[in-house]
Amino acid sequence: MSKEENLSDSQGRTDHDRLFKELLSTFFEEFMALFFPDAYEAIDFEHTSFLSEELFTDILKGEKRRVDLLVETHLRGEESLIIIHVEPQSYEQTSFHDRMFIYFSRLYEKYRRRILPIAIFSYDKVKEEPDTLHISFPFFNVMTFQFLKVELRRKNWRDYIQQDNPIAAALLSKMGYTPEERVEVKKEFLRMLVRLEQDPARMTLLTGFFETYLQLSEEEEQHLRMELQKLDPDEEGRIMELTTSWHEKGRREGKQEGRQEGRQEGKREAVYVLLQAKFGDAAKALHEDIQKLTKDEYIDELLLKVTIAPSLQEVKDFIQDKVSKQTKDKRLQ
């Protein structure tokens, strides 16, 4: 693998991790309630705070790795603080359980507190991941390390569609479903969004996450529209009115050109809402530049970038780069 390919692959994983981090930090309590109800009942969510990322160096490989999500809190009825470490994993790694133990060891060395480690496996292959590391001799057991885990592809998406939980809605896109079920998964996601009644910024985050991992083809979108027409008229109408359901909004316009512009405007509205929610009034300075983006793929990429970007400057640089590429493409035509 070349340095360029390695860099590209690493950047792709970084974006994936940031997207999961944004989702989990926004809906952390709902995540714990959905997958770990016993832990959820024990944790005091009124006193949680998110710690800064930890950067560790693998001494043997010379690689730098970040711990994705650290939450400081305590259990109900207790004063002592605990740490919850959540690690999304988007690709297969045979030594992943070793890495979880190394993270645990480094975190314990720094904080000297009880640590609850959790892994979320989101790659497409259906596989049971080990969650335990044993170190022992025939005559002595040195230690047993174990972490909680969520293996998304091993989850049946139908088991979660009745949950009024935003994490369940977003993660339908990464659960186990067949290619023939893709349209139905999107339909049930939209129905869940209607029931959840989240604010526009959170709706945008949930929709942006879902469509990053499950984006329908034009033919599938047509099938979806037919399926939505079979719903109760009130429910269908509420789905169509979702601010962040830009695809549906765009396709309700007249001719193809109108539909295209409608889709783009809906996406831009979603970008504006999320920018304002994340960065406040300072985001208004980017509205004019956003309007300059006319390529569908660039607007889609911008929505994802806004969702995961840690700073407004990173969004601004991204927009300027895409506008420049768009201008260059037009000159070459």
Side-chain angles (χ1 to χ4, degrees):
M1 180 181 291
S2 69
K3 289 183 179 180
E4 289 76 16
E5 290 172 328
N6 187 50
L7 178 62
S8 174
D9 184 50
S10 174
Q11 183 62 42
R13 288 203 293 266
T14 299
D15 286 347
H16 166 89
D17 291 345
R18 282 187 181 179
L19 186 54
F20 263 81
K21 181 177 179 179
E22 186 76 23
L23 181 73
L24 294 174
S25 59
T26 303
F27 301 105
F28 177 68
E29 184 173 351
E30 292 87 346
F31 166 73
M32 296 299 296
L34 183 65
F35 293 116
F36 307 109
D38 291 341
Y40 170 78
E41 291 296 331
I43 294 169
D44 182 353
F45 289 96
E46 293 185 1
H47 298 87
T48 58
S49 60
F50 293 92
L51 304 178
S52 60
E53 290 181 342
E54 296 288 346
L55 183 63
F56 296 133
T57 301
D58 187 321
I59 298 175
L60 295 178
K61 296 183 179 180
E63 297 176 349
K64 293 185 182 296
R65 295 186 178 275
R66 292 187 182 277
V67 170
D68 282 305
L69 192 66
L70 287 180
V71 182
E72 184 179 69
T73 184
H74 56 76
L75 303 183
R76 299 181 189 273
E78 294 188 9
E79 294 296 328
S80 57
L81 292 169
I82 66 169
I83 301 291
I84 302 175
H85 165 214
V86 185
E87 189 72 17
Q89 179 70 1
S90 61
Y91 59 99
E92 284 189 84
Q93 183 182 22
T94 56
S95 60
F96 178 78
H97 58 309
D98 291 337
R99 179 151 66 90
M100 284 294 286
F101 173 66
I102 292 172
Y103 285 166
F104 178 89
S105 302
R106 300 280 184 85
L107 291 170
Y108 183 76
E109 181 182 25
K110 177 175 180 177
Y111 293 101
R112 296 301 170 112
R113 296 174 187 161
R114 286 179 294 173
I115 300 169
L116 179 64
I118 302 173
I120 307 173
F121 297 99
S122 62
Y123 53 78
D124 291 338
K125 184 177 180 180
V126 178
K127 174 187 174 184
E128 183 172 2
E129 285 281 356
D131 58 4
T132 306
L133 176 65
H134 293 288
I135 298 178
S136 63
F137 297 92
F139 53 86
F140 182 66
N141 179 39
V142 176
M143 98 158 193
T144 299
F145 168 73
Q146 190 172 15
F147 54 90
L148 296 175
K149 65 177 179 178
V150 180
E151 297 168 314
L152 290 174
R153 280 299 179 193
R154 291 169 60 86
K155 301 288 186 183
N156 187 325
W157 68 278
R158 295 182 184 276
D159 294 339
Y160 294 88
I161 58 178
Q162 299 304 320
Q163 296 272 357
D164 290 332
N165 186 312
I167 284 286
L171 292 181
L172 288 182
S173 60
K174 294 299 293 177
M175 291 183 182
Y177 52 82
T178 66
E180 294 75 23
E181 294 176 318
R182 285 165 47 87
V183 171
E184 194 174 358
V185 174
K186 175 69 177 288
K187 182 186 76 172
E188 294 301 332
F189 167 72
L190 292 173
R191 297 182 74 190
M192 291 176 75
L193 280 190
V194 166
R195 296 199 310 269
L196 288 168
E197 297 184 339
Q198 298 286 304
D199 62 71
R202 292 188 174 202
M203 284 285 198
T204 299
L205 172 59
L206 294 172
T207 305
F209 185 98
F210 182 91
E211 297 213 352
T212 297
Y213 297 110
L214 201 170
Q215 194 164 37
L216 300 183
S217 66
E218 180 65 29
E219 182 180 352
E220 289 172 324
E221 288 281 3
Q222 292 176 359
H223 185 190
L224 174 63
R225 290 198 297 279
M226 290 188 291
E227 290 298 313
L228 292 176
Q229 290 172 2
K230 298 176 184 178
L231 299 176
D232 177 89
D234 179 64
E235 184 180 17
E236 181 193 3
R238 293 176 66 193
I239 288 175
M240 293 301 182
E241 290 172 3
L242 284 174
T243 302
T244 51
S245 187
W246 52 79
H247 291 288
E248 298 305 321
K249 179 179 178 181
R251 287 175 172 81
R252 288 166 64 192
E253 304 294 333
K255 297 181 179 180
Q256 178 62 33
E257 184 177 350
R259 294 201 299 269
Q260 175 79 0
E261 181 57 33
R263 284 198 298 270
Q264 290 187 354
E265 195 55 40
K267 293 175 187 178
R268 290 193 189 97
E269 276 300 315
V271 169
Y272 297 150
V273 169
L274 189 53
L275 273 174
Q276 188 77 13
K278 289 186 68 172
F279 303 113
D281 290 341
K284 293 180 180 178
L286 298 185
H287 283 201
E288 185 176 340
D289 289 336
I290 293 171
Q291 286 296 130
K292 296 177 183 177
L293 286 178
T294 57
K295 290 190 69 172
D296 262 349
E297 62 183 287
Y298 289 168
I299 301 174
D300 288 339
E301 290 175 18
L302 174 60
L303 181 65
L304 176 59
K305 174 58 69 174
V306 172
T307 303
I308 64 179
S311 69
L312 187 62
Q313 183 62 47
E314 185 170 322
V315 177
K316 183 177 181 180
D317 293 342
F318 176 87
I319 295 173
Q320 290 176 344
D321 177 63
K322 294 303 180 182
V323 169
S324 176
K325 289 182 178 179
Q326 190 173 263
T327 302
K328 183 177 179 180
D329 291 342
K330 288 181 179 179
R331 289 173 180 170
L332 294 175
Q333 288 179 354

